[in-house]
Amino acid sequence: MNPISQENADVNAAIDAELQLMDPAVRASRSLAARLLDPEFVEVGASGRRWTYEEMLAALPELDGGSGSGEGDGDGPRFEPSGMGGVVLAPGVVHLTYETVFDGRRARRSSLWRRRSNETSWRMYYHQATPVPAGD
């Protein structure tokens, strides 16, 4: 595979994994979410709170977009992503940027995904969400 094709494949794999993390079924399952989060994962949420790997796995089912945010049946509000794109920063590191709307609230998001040399799957290493002011 030529380098450009490989970069496109890497970005697409990271986008696919990012979208999986927005799925209420994945958010409700510790084992599914754990496969997508790097053990060294850190997030700075839209609230400004800093989350670690263990904190996120414990809280994810009850956070926005999880099964606990609706009626317990996964039919509650869902993240609506737009403008998702990415670049390969280095071998095994992809940076994604996009916006989401959740229950009428917009946020700009940035994620770093990494694939370690001994692994085949991509895992989210870092995520940050920044609220978009109304009218922006």
Side-chain angles (χ1 to χ4, degrees):
M1 187 178 294
N2 73 48
I4 293 174
S5 295
Q6 183 61 55
E7 286 187 8
N8 288 337
D10 290 348
V11 168
N12 288 336
I15 288 172
D16 180 59
E18 185 91 34
L19 293 171
Q20 288 178 49
L21 274 173
M22 292 183 209
D23 183 326
V26 172
R27 297 172 80 80
S29 168
R30 183 180 177 95
S31 63
L32 291 176
R35 286 187 221 152
L36 294 168
L37 296 180
D38 190 277
E40 297 177 9
F41 170 81
V42 173
E43 175 172 328
V44 177
S47 67
R49 178 176 173 176
R50 183 181 184 277
W51 299 83
T52 65
Y53 175 80
E54 284 299 326
E55 290 169 336
M56 183 56 70
L57 287 178
L60 199 54
E62 299 304 318
L63 293 175
D64 286 348
S67 61
S69 65
E71 300 300 317
D73 56 11
D75 288 337
R78 291 178 179 246
F79 286 97
E80 300 171 33
S82 65
M84 193 174 287
V87 296
V88 174
L89 297 178
V93 180
V94 171
H95 180 219
L96 299 181
T97 57
Y98 60 103
E99 285 193 12
T100 57
V101 175
F102 182 86
D103 203 22
R105 297 183 317 269
R106 288 178 50 212
R108 292 191 178 106
R109 298 181 178 271
S110 176
S111 299
L112 290 175
W113 288 82
R114 76 175 175 181
R115 183 182 62 207
R116 295 178 187 222
S117 58
N118 60 340
E119 296 180 355
T120 57
S121 63
W122 288 89
R123 292 180 171 214
M124 183 183 283
Y125 176 75
Y126 179 81
H127 183 78
Q128 183 161 351
T130 304
V132 176
D136 188 4

